[in-house]
Amino acid sequence: MGIEFKISNQYLRSNRKKGFVSFISGVSIVGLVLGVMTLITVLSVMNGFHKELRDRVLGAISHSYITEYGGTVKNWQTLQAKIDQHPSVVSTSPYIQKYALLNTGFGSQGISVRGIEIELEKKISVLLKKMKSGNATLNKSNILIGVGLANKLGVIVGDKVTLITPQVSSNILGIQPRFKRFTISGIFDAGVAEYDNNLTFIQLHQAQLLYSMKDRVSGIRLKVDNLFNAKKITNEVVNNLGSGQYYGIDWMQQKANFLQALNLEKQMIGIILSLIIAVAAFNVVSMMVMVVTDKKADIAILRTIGMTPNRIVKLFFYQGVTIGIIGIIVGTIFGVALAFNIESVISGIESLLGFQFFPADVFYISRFPSEIHLSDIITVAIGAFVLVVLASIYPAKRAGKLQISEVLNHE
């Protein structure tokens, strides 16, 4: 870089004494700072929301499940014991997943019924640790329901409900659907409408009786030591079983559309907010054009003492890039700091304004979680730097094409 870099830095310092040029330079830097800071903060908040949603969804569906072709698993105890032998499987739980009609004195609702062994299920999912009222206990006459379903049907802990299944039984009255009377022992809060409004839990043995499954189950749910490696671990477990009659589905496959929607949302927001950085970066163009105009006499002098046009281009290119780097570094520092403290900042703003942005009685997530990803910071910084480099090329080339004779005549 040599002398060109030293002169460009001298111009940056001297511009502070030039009123309007200094103002434009400051605006360019501030624009980059705000753009980079905003994008890093928003992406971090979106990462936090995505993690919160992912954790809530995983609380209801587990990391993966293994079942048999045909939909039911025989000798599930033997299968569970084989699955537990894999070193990456933390815990397992048998389950039955079916549909039914839940009937109360206030109305009826179609629901998803999951038969479980309560103590094993607690090791798989945190859902049963999020009880809004009552206790997460099950016996042959108890049922657990979601808070949304309880509100819809107007029931509380201790109320009686009737579970009507699609299975039929024959008796002296003819063919009738199977049903059973249950007592609500607990109401859980999954934090996701899909499960709060539709999911219920009953004892595994009761589900086997109601759905005529004898000693069979729908499958085995797994919790693994690395949720992002769930697909690989599940495939390894299935391969170890060896018979070819089993298959596994991990959480990413179960919620593929949901995850794709989250990722697409993040990408679109990132692209839209990148326009802020683009505008700030191309402010560098107008600022550098003004600097070149202001420094015409200096350029002519440098040319007369032997500096080539290419070196003049480098000089002003370095100046534009330096301004960009300063803005990107400061913006990154402020963005990371704001992302780390976003919840306290939002709380302060809510206290000043006197209202909540996300009221707990309206939104499932009422806070601003934040999770900073190094990859996002690097992507934003590199993207902003590329835009600054592109924006600095034109003014620098313009400076290199100035004719010495024309400048000296005007001076």
Side-chain angles (χ1 to χ4, degrees), residues 60-76:
I61 67 173
S62 77
H63 292 168
S64 65
Y65 69 85
I66 292 176
T67 187
E68 190 173 329
Y69 289 105
T72 59
V73 176
K74 304 172 185 176
N75 301 318
W76 62 267

Side-chain angles (χ1 to χ4, degrees), residues 134-145:
N135 299 307
T137 56
L138 286 177
N139 55 40
K140 64 181 182 179
S141 61
N142 285 351
I143 189 171
L144 305 176
I145 69 173

Side-chain angles (χ1 to χ4, degrees), residues 12 14-27 287:
L12 279 175
S14 65
N15 280 344
R16 296 173 186 172
K17 301 175 183 178
K18 301 275 186 178
F20 189 64
V21 174
S22 176
F23 173 75
I24 295 297
S25 300
V27 168
M287 183 273 297

Side-chain angles (χ1 to χ4, degrees), residues 43 46 50 260-274:
L43 291 178
M46 292 191 72
H50 292 180
Q260 287 173 3
L262 291 181
N263 291 332
L264 180 60
E265 179 188 33
K266 180 180 176 181
Q267 290 171 7
M268 293 306 298
I269 293 295
I271 291 171
I272 292 170
L273 291 180
S274 294

